[in-house]
Amino acid sequence: MDGRSIYVLTGAPLGGKDTVIEYMVKHTFQGITDTKNSMVLSYSFIDDSKDRAKLIGIKPEKTPEFRKFLSDDADNMDNFDPENRGYGYRVYRFLNWLDDNTDERTAAIMVNLRQMKGIVSMGKAVHAKNYRVRILRVDGRGLTPEEMSNEGDKEYLSWPDDIFHHVFDNSRDLDYRENQVREFVNKERQEIADNIAAWNETVECVQAAAE
């Protein structure tokens, strides 16, 4: 592998995952690969579901009903595999996006994705493209389990701690949250330079949790 990474962020709804992604893109992983112009990109798996909601006239709101629609739609798309590729429609769309938007300069992709089935199938699919997958959790903000309106939002709570490569504490102010992301980026630069063979260990943990 050449060290390119896909970082999957999970955590409670409204917990600040998008903010973490913004900080990680801002403090880019320059130097993570041998090229001079490493790039960090971001991708949201839920955007397809939001687009379908608009098409059928559902207003995007941060309500339990809308969140349940998004979760149910994501499950349907993850299970939609008419050509038996081994992954659903959302992963199919993501692979096409990778082909269209990445090249040898791409160092890392930041992904917002909560469903374990999607993470496992995506991980298998991108392995052939020389990416490794690492799962990050964002804690400290967002809805409580009692406030979550569907099982998809709660799924990450049952995953074992050893699945997560890193846990961010989003309970404090924005300066603190940005500083911890900056520290993580610097740590990842060194880790990737020293050791880029984390894939097999990660996928074994993810598959075990999905069974």
Side-chain angles (χ1 to χ4, degrees), residues 152-165:
D153 284 346
K154 302 176 185 178
E155 186 179 327
Y156 81 97
L157 295 169
S158 64
W159 301 353
D161 287 342
D162 58 0
I163 277 181
F164 301 107
H165 176 59

Side-chain angles (χ1 to χ4, degrees), residues 128-190:
K129 294 179 177 288
N130 292 330
Y131 283 94
R132 65 174 186 169
V133 176
R134 285 192 159 177
I135 306 173
L136 314 176
R137 192 176 78 219
V138 179
D139 281 352
R141 299 175 67 89
L143 301 182
T144 65
E146 293 74 24
E147 294 171 324
M148 296 179 192
S149 59
N150 58 81
E151 294 305 312
D153 284 346
K154 302 176 185 178
E155 186 179 327
Y156 81 97
L157 295 169
S158 64
W159 301 353
D161 287 342
D162 58 0
I163 277 181
F164 301 107
H165 176 59
H166 189 80
V167 177
F168 293 102
D169 175 14
N170 258 13
S171 64
R172 297 172 63 176
D173 60 48
L174 287 174
D175 286 342
Y176 174 84
R177 291 153 66 181
E178 182 170 4
N179 283 335
Q180 68 174 336
V181 171
R182 185 187 294 110
E183 290 174 2
F184 173 76
V185 167
N186 291 334
K187 176 174 175 284
E188 282 297 283
R189 282 199 192 118
Q190 188 59 50

Side-chain angles (χ1 to χ4, degrees), residues 51-109:
D51 290 341
R52 274 186 288 280
K54 292 178 184 177
L55 287 175
I56 61 177
I58 298 177
K59 187 177 180 180
E61 297 177 322
K62 295 184 182 297
T63 62
E65 294 77 16
F66 186 65
R67 296 203 62 80
K68 188 174 188 311
F69 170 85
L70 295 179
S71 180
D72 291 346
D73 185 76
D75 287 340
N76 290 335
M77 291 300 97
D78 285 341
N79 291 323
F80 182 67
D81 183 18
E83 298 183 16
N84 295 316
R85 298 186 183 95
Y87 48 82
Y89 181 71
R90 293 201 303 166
V91 173
Y92 170 77
R93 291 264 295 170
F94 178 61
L95 294 177
N96 286 340
W97 179 87
L98 282 179
D99 289 340
D100 293 340
N101 293 278
T102 64
D103 57 26
E104 68 278 357
R105 297 174 297 162
T106 306
I109 309 293

